[in-house]
Amino acid sequence: MAPQRAVQLSLKKPTYAVCVVGVETYVDVHSDVPKGAETFGVSGSPGVEVFVIYDPARVTVPTGKTRWPLDANVDVTVSVDAASKALHDLKVKVSYFGRQEAGTLGHSVLYLTAVDVSLDVDTGRTGKVKRNHDDKKTWRWGPEGYGAVLLVNCDRDSVVSAGPDLTNSQLATLDGLQDMSPMVLSCDGPDSLFDSHKLVLNVPFPDARRVGVFCARGGTSLEDYKQVLGPQRLSYEVERQPGERKISFFVEGLAFPDVDFLGLVSLSVSLVDTGTLPEVPLFTDTVAFRVAPWIMTPNTQPPLELYACSVVDSHGSNKKFLEDMSDLALKANCKLIICPQIENRNDRWIQDEMEFGYTEAPHKAFPVVFDSPRDRGLKHFPYKRILGPDFGYVTREILFAGASSLDSFGNLDVSPPVTVGGKEYPLGRILIGSSFPKSGGRRMAKVVRDFLQAQQVQAPVELYSDWLSVGHVDEFLSFVPTSDQKGFRLLLASPIACLKLFQQKKEEGYGEAAQFDGLRHQVNRSINEMLADSRLRRDSLYAQKCIDWNREVLKRELGLTEQDIVDIPQLFFLKGSHAEAFFPDMVNMVVLGKHLGIPKPFGPIINGRCCLEEKVRSLLEPLGLRCIFIDDYLSYHELLGEIHCGTNVRRRPFSFKWWHMVP
């Protein structure tokens, strides 16, 4: 370990110094030397370890009496391994000698007081603080990595708090401490030493608005915990009590990683000599934290809660839809949560308003809802109804322009874990819809894209979704879990597959079977009519080209093969320059484990069954999935959305720990 400070000796009087346990102190044996001295010897009292540093190429180790040459760059450092019991109870003596064997020419004496100062955090990521003399200033990813983790304290543990806990400089409940990372300051030494020395906790100015530190003073009431570092306070003089050897702190994150914040913060403690002007730090110990990222969960994770909205429109209420969602949730053994009309203000698109994820540290994890900048009828629902104890909240605002359709979170998805060209993405990759490269079309707001990219653990991929009227990725893709070795399939909407199916049914003699059969408010279209409709074919083939472009991106960026992709029959038509689903969009499904809530396509009825439903069953049920077709035509499809758009699912977090990966 490199020397932390230098102490000059004097022949005329003893020198007094403070040293820190485990830290080498450089002893200057050259600054005050008796005339004629050519060698020196050095010794320490019990408890002091003396190190002589020299170049073996220039210096021969002395034999007999240990006398070292003064003219060969021989240096001395000392170290102690325990705190002093009293002031100046440790001693180092340096004796100087001339050429002859005569006695010493002079002595220098150094009296040391050893203090044990160490700032420690959970560098081993076990959930507990252990004393650590290794490198605490850096943070390393990977299974062999090290470094402490901070949670953003973005939940609201007290029902009387106005906002997330991170907005409060006072502790609202003791439960809030569980969201913080422990930090321990060791400060052992003679009490009288601290009459002339102090311990100062510091946070660098750039980190002050991203971290808060509370000091624990041993009690069980809220008054026993006070914030000592944070946005308004960069340093804190530690209030050490006589005989106190350990002081506990709790550290909270105040901001997730973002474009201007890599996620790393540091804290330090300094032992300061108050007897000098200016006051001099004798020793500084620094620890680094990484703020835990916000992590999305893919459809392959088990469902915990299904959300949907109760609404009323010109067709009446969506009561039947909610009953179907209740049955589906019961089958999947997850809880259904209905947002009432008074809270959603008749905004049914709950997937567009928010995305569920989570954040995790070694000592704790909790869900976090990401509130989109869409801000329509459901604008206040995530903040007012979901933010709560152990349920966090984060959002990003578009400051100088309104949100576009692509800023809704139906345009935000995440793949299951994948491996691409040997590189593992154990938490999957985020997928967002965008404009065609260099086209200048609609794009998700930069502030949201920057946030997603800054989390580092789910490297985002941009897809082309601007060809759609609404423009969301959930209109042409979905992931489903499977029971085979692969573990999932990517579902893609496929006009080609639909046209082939209809052509096959025509050749089998079912050309007059009609799409939309049974829908009173929709004109039936026979298979023959649809195949003969050149505009419908042209529009659908255009959509196929757009989907095929995305298909190649997904294969490349997710490491997929054709065997990992299932084509779901679907037709599209153009309205202006953008496409809309011709019949309910079956990939826009809600996935609850093996139970799939799929928009009922109202396809041609052949032998008493919908041929589109039968085709989808034949594709998915052999994979261990159950297809449940739900009528969402009036409630959702006519309004350019489907079941996935009108629902939202909170899922179980990954068992894989994000800090074990290498971004």
Side-chain angles (χ1 to χ4, degrees), residues 559-576:
L560 304 180
T561 67
E562 283 296 324
Q563 287 69 39
D564 303 323
I565 302 173
V566 177
D567 292 309
I568 302 298
Q570 188 66 48
L571 295 180
F572 294 87
F573 69 95
L574 290 180
K575 192 170 184 179

Side-chain angles (χ1 to χ4, degrees), residues 404-408 411 433-434 442-444 465-466 470-472:
S404 77
S405 176
L406 271 65
D407 295 315
S408 297
N411 195 34
S434 190
R442 294 174 296 175
R443 213 177 168 198
M444 182 177 281
S465 66
D466 191 32
V470 176
H472 294 176

Side-chain angles (χ1 to χ4, degrees), residues 116-169:
D116 187 4
V117 176
S118 181
L119 193 62
D120 292 289
V121 291
D122 179 21
T123 54
R125 302 168 187 167
T126 63
K128 296 182 179 180
V129 176
K130 290 185 178 180
R131 186 71 180 266
N132 187 354
H133 293 292
D134 297 330
D135 185 8
K136 297 179 280 189
K137 296 181 181 179
T138 58
W139 201 96
R140 180 175 294 177
W141 295 87
E144 304 301 322
Y146 54 83
V149 176
L150 280 186
L151 290 175
V152 178
N153 198 7
C154 59
D155 67 340
R156 180 168 56 194
D157 287 313
S158 172
V159 294
V160 299
S161 294
D165 291 345
L166 59 82
T167 61
N168 301 322
S169 59

Side-chain angles (χ1 to χ4, degrees), residues 350-529:
I350 196 166
Q351 174 60 49
D352 287 341
E353 184 59 40
M354 62 190 190
E355 183 67 50
F356 287 113
Y358 70 98
T359 190
E360 182 175 23
H363 66 283
K364 187 174 183 179
F366 56 79
V368 178
V369 62
F370 187 8
D371 189 359
S372 82
R374 167 182 178 267
D375 290 348
R376 288 167 60 180
L378 280 158
K379 174 180 179 179
H380 300 296
F381 179 72
Y383 191 83
K384 289 186 175 181
R385 295 302 179 187
I386 295 181
L387 170 64
D390 287 341
F391 211 128
Y393 173 92
V394 66
T395 191
R396 287 296 178 269
E397 296 181 359
I398 304 173
L399 297 179
F400 303 112
S404 77
S405 176
L406 271 65
D407 295 315
S408 297
F409 284 171
N411 195 34
L412 177 61
D413 210 327
V414 64
S415 79
V418 293
T419 300
V420 186
K423 180 175 177 56
E424 294 183 356
Y425 296 90
L427 303 176
R429 299 191 70 178
I430 286 174
L431 307 174
I432 58 176
S434 190
S435 57
F436 194 76
K438 300 182 180 180
S439 70
R442 294 174 296 175
R443 213 177 168 198
M444 182 177 281
K446 186 176 184 299
V447 66
V448 177
R449 288 185 283 116
D450 286 344
F451 174 82
L452 296 171
Q453 184 72 45
Q455 306 313 304
Q456 297 193 62
V457 295
Q458 294 179 300
V461 177
E462 285 197 61
L463 300 174
Y464 174 37
S465 66
D466 191 32
W467 59 277
L468 291 153
S469 288
V470 176
H472 294 176
V473 293
D474 67 357
E475 298 177 74
F476 66 87
L477 68 81
S478 184
F479 293 92
V480 293
T482 61
S483 54
D484 57 7
Q485 184 176 2
K486 182 67 179 180
F488 73 91
R489 292 292 187 278
L490 167 64
L491 309 186
L492 288 179
S494 176
I496 285 290
C498 190
L499 292 172
K500 284 183 178 179
L501 176 64
F502 285 171
Q503 182 64 37
Q504 175 189 339
K505 297 305 177 184
K506 175 182 178 179
E507 293 172 358
E508 292 174 357
Y510 301 111
E512 292 305 314
Q515 183 76 35
F516 306 125
D517 191 11
L519 283 175
R520 292 172 297 178
H521 51 279
Q522 181 61 266
V523 177
N524 291 0
R525 299 287 300 276
S526 70
I527 289 177
N528 289 334
E529 290 174 332

